[in-house]
Every structure is written in structure tokens, then in C-alpha cells.
Amino acid sequence: MSELVPYVDLKGQHAELKEEILEAVAGVIDRGDFVLGESVRKFETAFAELCGSKFAIGVNSGTDALILAMRALGIGEGDEVITPPNSFVGSTSAIIVCGANPVFVDVGEDRNIDPNLIETAITPKTKAIMPVHLGGIPAKMEQINAVAKKHEIAVIDDCAQAIGSRYDGQPVGSLGDISCFSLHPLKNLNACGDGGMITTDDEKVVEEIRLLRNLGLKDRNTCVHWSGNSRLDTIQAAILLVKLNHFERTASGRQSIATYYMDALANVSQVRLPVVDEASEPVFHTFVIQVDDRDALKNYLLERGIKTSIHYPTPIHLQPVAEDLGYGEGSFPVAERQAKDILTIPGFDGLTREQMERITQSISDFYNR
Ligand SMILES: *Cc1c(COP(=O)(O)O)cnc(C)c1O
């Protein structure tokens, strides 16, 4: 009987770091600086360095990172933001929560927004393009930035799944005007709870976001904006500093899993592998293959004790909540076809060689049965 291959293993990941994490938490408790404390500042500095950006600001989630980035640019009621329809729902929710309208543009074979389709979607109301580096594969930022520059609109990239990835040698987080990250437990650099980061080189934006994340308070007694509370917890920042010390290993572990899959599945002609262009060096968040008989393969793997996932089975424009947006079946043929064909196979840090072999062998057995 095959041993189960889980889809993720958070317990395993934390077993090794537990002592170090508990020590970091104890440090915060001893200092008592629970709100915007020393560890938040330290983590912001270290994160900016990792991303090759001038500034990083800690916030409470990836979703709030996106919301604050847009609010810092004054994006709101009546404005339009261009984004792909195949992301996690958070990218689009952030646009709506700001009061703006999402304008979807279909994706390419790399599953990222198709830069050639962006220009026709731009109207006088367009304020920003929000590409998503889906699964860790960087979007075509050179072309996206060029279109944005030409039309004098901003690029806010959703980097939630792409920490550590590089494009043209530059780290994700240094590619757009404002870059937004999630530190959710399932992301590649993960808190023990929620967290998010924003990186940018624009000092004005930084000042604005620091106000917006903290109820618009300039100092304890002076409020200059109506805003909520989106602060990153000091305890999470302390934990994240521990994780960051090990991140290089996490990232290279994920990269070698991807390399293994790319090689091992290259000969299975029914499997379409992730499309990565020459300029990109992804740290995969999800390793997504595409096959015609996805559900049958998924079930076959499950029968053999291998858990897989789908990111994401329903494109955002076809969600019940999106009915008002005026899109429907057929609006984005590429994203819709991919939603039927995609399958995410386990790629977590800590996956063993034996487990990877089991996965790739089972996939090829499925097609030889
Ligand atoms: C996870 C994720 C988000 C939201 O991040 P949270 O920290 O869960 O709020 C947004 N966009 C993408 C692409 C994501 O994967």
C-alpha cells in the first residue's frame, strides 16, 4: 500500500524551526512591543533587501497590501484596474473593495496576463495594471511596464505567489511601481498566521501606506486619513525573520523539485508542462501541469494516495459574485480552457525524492494503463 503524499506539510516544515520560532516569540513577549515593534522594522529592512527594492512596509495580509497600494495612488470610485481573471480571488476583491472596477484581460500560455491584449482594454478611466505572477512564474513585466508607461498608468503587481522569483535577473518586488506580497501560511515565505508586504522605490507611496495601514495616524494624536488597521503583527514579523534566514534553502528546494518534474515529465507527451520564458527564474509556488483528462488523472492519483489541487477551478469572472461585472462563459477562452486542464501536483519544501518519483511514475502509469 502506497504511503500518502500530502499536498502540503506545514507540520513538517515547522518541526525543524520550532525552537528558533519559540525563542523569537519569547523575545517579543519580553520586549512587549507588540504593535509595530522592533521585529517589524527589522523584517521590513530584510524584505526590501531580498526584493531589491528601496522600501518594504509590513501589513496584515496580501489582500490588504493590494488595497493599500491602490489607495496610496488614489484609486477608487469609477476607476478601472486591468487584471487577469485566473488569479486567486483576492486580487480582484481588492480592486472592488477600493471602489474601483476590475477589467479582465485574458492570459497567455504561461497563464499570466497576455501583454498583447492589455492596450485594447485601456480607457480614460484606467488607473493601473495589476499583473499576477501566477504560481511563481513572473508575468511579462517588460512589455507590461512599457504599455503602462505609454499610457501613464501604474503597475501594481500581485507577487503573493512569487517571492524569490526573478525576471531578467531582477527579483520580483523590484519590477512594478508597487509590489504586493502575501505571507499567508500556504505561501512560500509564510507567517504562523496572516501577513503581507508591500515593496516600492517611491518614498511618497511609502509615507502614504504607513499612514493608511495605521488608521491614518500621523502621530498618536493626529489623524490625516480615514483608514483601517492593516498592521503586521510584531510576533509574526519576529517569526518571519526566522523563516527569512532559511528562505534561500526553501527557494532552492522548490526550484529543484520543479527541475525534477520538468525532466521526469518531459517524456509524457500528454502532459503540458509550465511555460517559463528565458528571462524568468521562477521559485514555484504551485507546480501546475495541464492535461486533457484532468479529473480522471486527479482521481487516479488520489487512489494511489497522492493529493493534488487545482489553482483555480473557477475563473473569477465566472464566480457567482462576479455576475454584475458583465462577463460570462466565453469571455476569456484561454483562462477558461486552462481552468479545465490545470492540475497542481505537490511541490512543498520537504517533499522527498521518493515521493516525487511516486508522483511522476503514477502520472506516466495513468497514460500507459
Ligand atoms: C494569497 C493571495 C492573495 C491574498 O493574500 P492573503 O494574504 O491571503 O490576503 C492575493 N493574490 C494572490 C495571487 C494570492 O495567491
Side-chain angles (χ1 to χ4, degrees), residues 95-107:
I95 297 169
I96 305 251
V97 167
C98 284
N101 300 315
V103 173
F104 294 124
V105 162
D106 209 353
V107 296

Side-chain angles (χ1 to χ4, degrees), residues 104-119:
F104 294 124
V105 162
D106 209 353
V107 296
E109 287 310 315
D110 64 353
R111 302 180 61 232
N112 284 321
I113 194 165
D114 184 342
N116 299 315
L117 303 178
I118 292 175
E119 204 151 17

